[in-house]
Amino acid sequence: MNAEIIAVGSELLTPQRIDTNSLYITQHLNALGVEVLMKSVVGDDRVRLAQQIREALERVDVVVLTGGLGPTEDDVTRDAVAAAFGRTQSFRQDVCDEIAARFARMQRPMAENNKRQAMIIEGAEVLPNPNGTAPGQWLRQDGKVAMLLPGPPREMKAMFNDQCLPRLAALLPAQVIRVRAYRVAGLGESDLDQIIAPIYMKYANPVTTVLADVGDIQVHLRARSDSEEQANALLEEVGAQIEAALGEHLYTNDGQPLEAVVGRRLKERGETLSVAESCTGGLLAERITSIAGSSAYFRGGFLTYCDELKTALLGVDPRLLQAHTAVSEPVARAMTEGCRERTGSTYAVSVTGHAGPEGGTPETPVGTVFIGLAGPTGCRVVRIFSGGDRGRVRRMASQVALDTLRKTLS
């Protein structure tokens, strides 16, 4: 079976609210072997929503709707589903009594419009809601399934887990979806695809998806089969070829970010790390310490944004700064050597550059960054250039700094 998720509510079409329910639903549908082919957000419009449901039923076997089950006039999900299925609705006194009982337990009077939540679509099964007043509904027709779930995540998750997943599992053949998530550094998206496209294009299963971020590309393989063993075998067949093709650019096959991979290697080796940052303004240290357990290998760092602190805290010679400026190979080298000496760490990484939008020179334009790495075998400096805005330059600098260390630890 394939599925489509429709999040209902005009508020989800504004910057203030984000649909997170679909992520949770997708995760659990995939665990049953159900592929989510589309997600959409539809405002509080009966006609528009009914049309979206009709189109979804033509595409997929399972339609999951979240939101729009409240008591007000703009809660239109029940009406739209009934229209899409060509069914009527009727008032159910037993459902209304349960809603009233919940209000009584909360010691609150039930408003008259809450009776709208007791309108049930012809032939639908009522899904109890122990965490709210809006019951859900489960509807089947011509081999198709529609689930009507409340919008608040606390209510939706409990209803989906307890009421919908068991019903859906009983309808499904034995099938599973398994995912392998590769992450790659040091390659552009087009360069990476040129390397791996000849591999993955030969296979319809698993499906390959390439996701690009600043300095970090993810390659997701999704295998679908009737057993976990077969799905894993499909992943291994394609994955082994991709791993061999990508070589040292591939830094993980379990989806972990670069800071986690570097941290794991430092911990395994019993080694430590410190940082000296200028243009990244603490971003590198933040990424390192975002990993639980980083205190086992991260000793600390220096945020030396001005030349005076580079001298006072890291011991950078003022004459070096005057002769070469702060954005230079000699200063990056002096920063990382000073950092390692003062912290006693196994490795030290420094970052200095022009993040922009101002401050560049003809020799070192905005986007130029020098990254120093000092360790037991000496010190080296890498120069990079990153186009884009200030945030992109800083993110790329932190990514290359971590990747340079990763390669050293390999």
Side-chain angles (χ1 to χ4, degrees), residues 168-189:
L168 188 59
L171 302 176
L172 294 174
Q175 57 179 337
V176 296
I177 293 177
R178 290 294 178 266
V179 178
R180 184 173 296 185
Y182 293 109
R183 297 185 76 154
V184 179
L187 280 176
E189 183 179 11

Side-chain angles (χ1 to χ4, degrees), residues 204-269:
N205 186 21
V207 175
T208 302
T209 305
V210 178
L211 308 170
D213 200 354
V214 178
D216 187 26
I217 303 176
Q218 297 187 40
V219 180
H220 290 186
L221 304 181
R222 295 172 58 82
R224 191 174 187 176
S225 187
D226 57 7
S227 73
E228 185 172 356
E229 292 75 16
Q230 290 179 358
N232 288 334
L234 290 169
L235 291 177
E236 183 59 31
E237 180 180 348
V238 181
Q241 298 176 64
I242 288 177
E243 291 179 30
L246 292 175
E248 70 169 4
H249 295 294
L250 177 67
Y251 68 81
T252 187
N253 62 4
D254 62 5
Q256 289 291 305
L258 189 50
E259 51 267 31
V261 173
V262 168
R264 184 169 61 240
R265 293 186 184 178
L266 286 168
K267 191 172 183 178
E268 290 170 351
R269 295 160 64 114

Side-chain angles (χ1 to χ4, degrees), residues 36-349:
V36 176
L37 300 187
M38 284 190 65
K39 301 178 184 180
S40 59
V41 177
V42 181
D44 301 319
D45 184 292
R46 288 173 176 79
V47 175
R48 216 172 272 130
L49 179 56
Q51 182 59 33
Q52 185 73 9
I53 296 167
R54 292 187 190 99
E55 293 174 2
L57 290 170
E58 294 176 359
R59 290 187 288 258
V60 299
D61 312 293
V62 178
V63 181
V64 184
L65 298 105
T66 63
L69 298 181
T72 62
E73 287 295 330
D74 62 352
D75 289 306
V76 298
T77 299
R78 290 177 295 267
D79 297 345
V81 173
F85 277 84
R87 299 194 181 189
T88 60
Q89 298 181 75
S90 60
F91 176 76
R92 285 271 298 271
Q93 187 61 52
D94 59 325
V95 175
C96 184
D97 291 344
E98 178 54 39
I99 296 172
R102 179 170 180 81
F103 274 99
R105 289 192 295 270
M106 295 186 294
Q107 298 183 343
R108 290 171 50 193
M110 188 181 86
E112 184 66 22
N113 63 1
N114 280 105
K115 292 182 178 179
R116 286 171 48 85
Q117 294 176 297
M119 295 297 294
I120 305 301
I121 300 169
E122 176 191 359
E125 296 181 57
V126 177
L127 305 178
N129 184 356
N131 298 303
T133 61
Q137 299 189 43
W138 171 279
L139 189 61
R140 292 188 64 191
Q141 181 170 293
D142 300 328
K144 306 285 185 173
V145 173
M147 308 177 203
L148 286 66
L149 304 175
R154 177 171 174 268
E155 300 178 31
M156 184 281 297
K157 290 179 181 180
M159 186 180 294
F160 185 66
N161 285 340
D162 300 340
Q163 304 292 327
C164 296
L165 289 179
R167 285 177 168 85
L168 188 59
L171 302 176
L172 294 174
Q175 57 179 337
V176 296
I177 293 177
R178 290 294 178 266
V179 178
R180 184 173 296 185
Y182 293 109
R183 297 185 76 154
V184 179
L187 280 176
E189 183 179 11
S190 57
D191 294 328
L192 175 137
D193 198 58
Q194 188 168 307
I195 294 171
I196 67 171
I199 299 170
Y200 72 72
M201 289 294 291
K202 296 184 294 185
Y203 297 88
N205 186 21
V207 175
T208 302
T209 305
V210 178
L211 308 170
D213 200 354
V214 178
D216 187 26
I217 303 176
Q218 297 187 40
V219 180
H220 290 186
L221 304 181
R222 295 172 58 82
R224 191 174 187 176
S225 187
D226 57 7
S227 73
E228 185 172 356
E229 292 75 16
Q230 290 179 358
N232 288 334
L234 290 169
L235 291 177
E236 183 59 31
E237 180 180 348
V238 181
Q241 298 176 64
I242 288 177
E243 291 179 30
L246 292 175
E248 70 169 4
H249 295 294
L250 177 67
Y251 68 81
T252 187
N253 62 4
D254 62 5
Q256 289 291 305
L258 189 50
E259 51 267 31
V261 173
V262 168
R264 184 169 61 240
R265 293 186 184 178
L266 286 168
K267 191 172 183 178
E268 290 170 351
R269 295 160 64 114
E271 296 176 330
T272 56
L273 172 66
S274 57
V275 299
E277 299 184 66
S278 183
C279 69
T280 44
L283 176 60
L284 179 57
E286 193 281 328
R287 290 184 63 180
I288 294 167
T289 56
S290 69
I291 303 302
S294 56
S295 57
Y297 51 84
F298 185 63
R299 303 206 62 168
F302 301 87
L303 181 53
T304 55
Y305 213 64
C306 67
D307 289 357
E308 291 80 6
L309 286 185
K310 290 179 175 68
T311 297
L313 298 181
L314 298 172
V316 178
D317 191 331
R319 293 171 294 183
L320 204 63
L321 288 159
Q322 185 174 9
H324 300 281
T325 77
V327 182
S328 64
E329 179 178 340
V331 170
R333 183 180 300 275
M335 287 173 63
T336 195
E337 289 176 339
C339 179
R340 183 168 184 258
E341 179 183 342
R342 283 156 176 75
T343 60
S345 58
T346 314
Y347 295 95
V349 177

